[in-house]
Amino acid sequence: MKLRLLIVDDSEDDVFLLVRTLKSGGIELEYRHVETALELMQALKSSSWDMVITDHNMVGFTSKEALQVVRKFSEDLPVIIVSGEIGEDVAVNAMYQGAQDYIMKDNLARLIPVIHREVKLNADRKAKRDAEESLQYLAYHDSLTDLVNRAEFERCLDHAVQMAKLEKQSSILMFLDLDQFKLVNDTCGHVAGDELLVKITRLLKLHTRETDTLARLGGDEFGILLNHCRKQEAVTTAERIRSEVQDCRFVWQDKPFNITISIGMAEITDQLQNHHELLSCADIACYVSKDKGRNNITWYNPNDNEFHQRRAEMQWAPKIKRAAEDDKFVLFHQPMANLQQDLGPHWEFLVRLKDDQDLVPPGAFIPAAERYNLMPIIDRWVVKHVFHFLQHSGLGYKDQGTYFINLSGSTLSDGSFFEDVKRLQEASGLLPERICFEITETAAIANLVDAVQFIEDIREKGFKFALDDFGVGLSSFSYLKTIPVDYLKIDGSFVKRMLSDPIDRGIVEACNQIGHAAGLQTIAEFVEDEATMDALRNVGVNFAQGFGIAKPGPLPTLWLDNPSDSPSPQHNANT
């Protein structure tokens, strides 16, 4: 044990005796001897010490005063009083004021165990203090990048909003989102993703001033609060960041990635209420940057209709999450007509959102769900409740017919969705062939690899699959060779004009013929009258769907069970 000891004593002989006692007790010692308050202060300033041992009565100086000097520099540094004469009441009072112990000079043998004890206790105190300081630091900082975290950044933003109201200060919020982070994370793993975030953090630090606040807001999102900054200066900074990130090549295990960043900017004005509104403005601007093709900078404009639309979509996001959690979605269904032979009931399940006493149509909330990657939540809710309805309706639906459930492209990329479907099917006892999942042609093509893999897996389990809106893509027929499905739903834009436009009729006939050549059943959408239905029957289309057959409506009222009792996985139906 090596001890760095500061000795406060006005007697050279007593110091010599003290040092000899400690060394003979096996303590390796580095010490400094001081006699006055000034020397003590200088010693505490110039070096760090493990312990202070002080005499009680010195010329013009007491242990009480020595203790006060030490405590100005450190609350934790152990102080032991060694004295030839000290009253018990004085000693007890000294310990009350912060001394660790007192020892009589005629009993120095007791000093060795006391020192060992205090060194250990001080180490424990330091470890506890370090842990508390670390927890305190992590409460305000991101553990990966060491940047300010979201909670602390929001506090800084609120302060900036208040300053804008009080002092008319010009400050700017910059919201930054990496464009390729998910690609790096998914293909190379989280370690690579973390390394990319650290690399971008270093780059962003080069472009922030001491007066600015740089934060990681979560995932691949960063925020920069540019205090006392004019708009043009902020735009220049943003452009430098965008340009340098674009030039930044990220290589992981010999795989190169071109990285870009989308930036949204908003001015902090006295019109803003709080950080929530401010972050929303910058976030909306960032999404517009992504819509423009990514690698862009967008300045929030409160008078632009595009920003109003984005704001409306953002307000839907928390409502969608709550609706799934609180069962505020409602199932509707739309029957189809058998045109060639009776193959039992064919329905498409649809979804509405209950907002107070109103039922919100999907066109109001589905775009927001797609933008904010919430479609898997809705899709899971629909699958769960459809399975429960078919199992418990008491109307025999589980034993006949085919029932269609819409899926989004993002759901097909959700690795756990297929397992959730299997788990629900097994729990319900429903025959897989009763269910036909469907996805639009454009969504399937946009997610082709995931779509084909999911369709193959789901059909192998016994479920069916339909390709919706078929015919709108320029390469519809060629993709039909790639995407394995059971039904083709011919896009309604051709069907509703087939009696008046020979080209549309030709497209309907071609889609039907190709579908039958591939061994598929065909369904015509947007059938609005009897004449169109007769024409489709003559063409050979198998099923018709549209307002001319039945409008979407509530499920049969005999279903009284509560679907919340069924097994819950994690989570569309559209029109």
Side-chain angles (χ1 to χ4, degrees), residues 39-206:
E39 289 178 347
L40 176 59
M41 284 189 285
Q42 290 172 340
L44 290 168
K45 284 181 181 179
S46 61
S47 297
S48 60
W49 304 96
D50 297 322
M51 189 173 297
V52 175
I53 294 181
T54 180
D55 192 5
H56 173 54
N57 279 320
M58 296 167 282
V59 176
F61 195 34
T62 66
S63 62
K64 178 180 179 181
E65 293 167 321
L67 186 60
Q68 291 172 344
V69 171
V70 172
R71 287 294 167 253
K72 287 181 181 179
F73 285 86
S74 171
E75 286 294 324
D76 296 328
L77 184 60
V79 177
I80 298 173
I81 299 173
V82 177
S83 176
E85 51 180 41
I86 184 172
E88 186 173 339
D89 56 336
V90 175
V92 170
N93 187 54
M95 294 184 68
Y96 177 78
Q97 292 177 347
Q100 269 61 45
D101 212 329
Y102 69 94
I103 294 170
M104 304 303 293
K105 287 186 177 179
D106 60 0
N107 189 22
L108 287 180
R110 180 172 170 265
L111 183 58
I112 304 297
V114 169
I115 287 176
H116 282 289
R117 181 196 72 198
E118 289 306 321
V119 167
K120 181 181 183 306
L121 289 175
N122 194 46
D124 292 344
R125 285 193 295 269
K126 185 177 185 305
K128 180 182 178 182
R129 184 178 63 252
D130 289 346
E132 291 172 347
E133 289 176 354
S134 177
L135 287 173
Q136 180 76 0
Y137 185 83
L138 289 175
Y140 300 103
H141 291 80
D142 173 59
S143 58
L144 174 66
T145 62
D146 210 31
L147 297 178
V148 167
N149 62 17
R150 189 182 191 100
E152 177 63 8
F153 191 65
E154 289 176 352
R155 188 192 66 78
C156 294
L157 292 181
D158 266 336
H159 178 72
V161 170
Q162 295 309 311
M163 287 299 98
K165 294 178 184 295
L166 294 174
E167 302 179 7
K168 308 298 181 183
Q169 294 179 355
S170 177
S171 297
I172 307 295
L173 170 61
M174 194 186 300
F175 192 103
L176 310 96
D177 192 325
L178 285 177
D179 296 324
Q180 285 78 21
F181 180 73
K182 188 175 187 300
L183 175 63
V184 174
N185 228 25
D186 290 351
T187 58
C188 300
H190 294 296
V191 175
D194 288 350
E195 182 63 29
L196 173 58
L197 291 172
V198 171
K199 184 181 181 74
I200 295 300
T201 297
R202 288 196 292 263
L203 186 153
L204 294 177
K205 283 181 176 179
L206 296 175

Side-chain angles (χ1 to χ4, degrees), residues 332-343:
F332 268 42
H333 77 298
Q334 185 177 26
M336 304 175 191
N338 289 272
L339 299 182
Q340 306 302 328
Q341 55 181 320
D342 188 359
L343 297 176

Side-chain angles (χ1 to χ4, degrees), residues 13 26 47 59 63 130 133 155 159 201 286 292 313 331 380-381 431-432 451 467 516 521:
D13 293 340
S47 297
V59 176
S63 62
D130 289 346
E133 289 176 354
R155 188 192 66 78
H159 178 72
T201 297
C286 187
K292 291 177 180 177
E313 289 176 351
L331 283 180
R380 281 185 167 89
W381 189 95
L431 293 175
L467 198 58
H516 287 172
Q521 299 279 306

Side-chain angles (χ1 to χ4, degrees), residues 150 153-154 157 172-178 204 215-218 220-226 238 241 261-266 275-276 278-290 296-299 314 372:
R150 189 182 191 100
F153 191 65
E154 289 176 352
L157 292 181
I172 307 295
L173 170 61
M174 194 186 300
F175 192 103
L176 310 96
D177 192 325
L178 285 177
L204 294 177
R216 182 185 177 201
L217 303 182
D220 58 349
E221 296 176 343
F222 295 85
I224 303 177
L225 172 58
L226 300 161
I241 291 173
I261 197 164
S262 295
I263 303 176
M265 304 181 71
H275 74 265
H276 297 291
L278 175 58
L279 274 171
S280 175
C281 295
D283 192 11
I284 290 169
C286 187
Y287 265 99
V288 173
S289 286
K290 287 185 175 291
N296 275 295
I297 301 169
T298 300
W299 191 271
M314 290 182 71
Y372 293 99

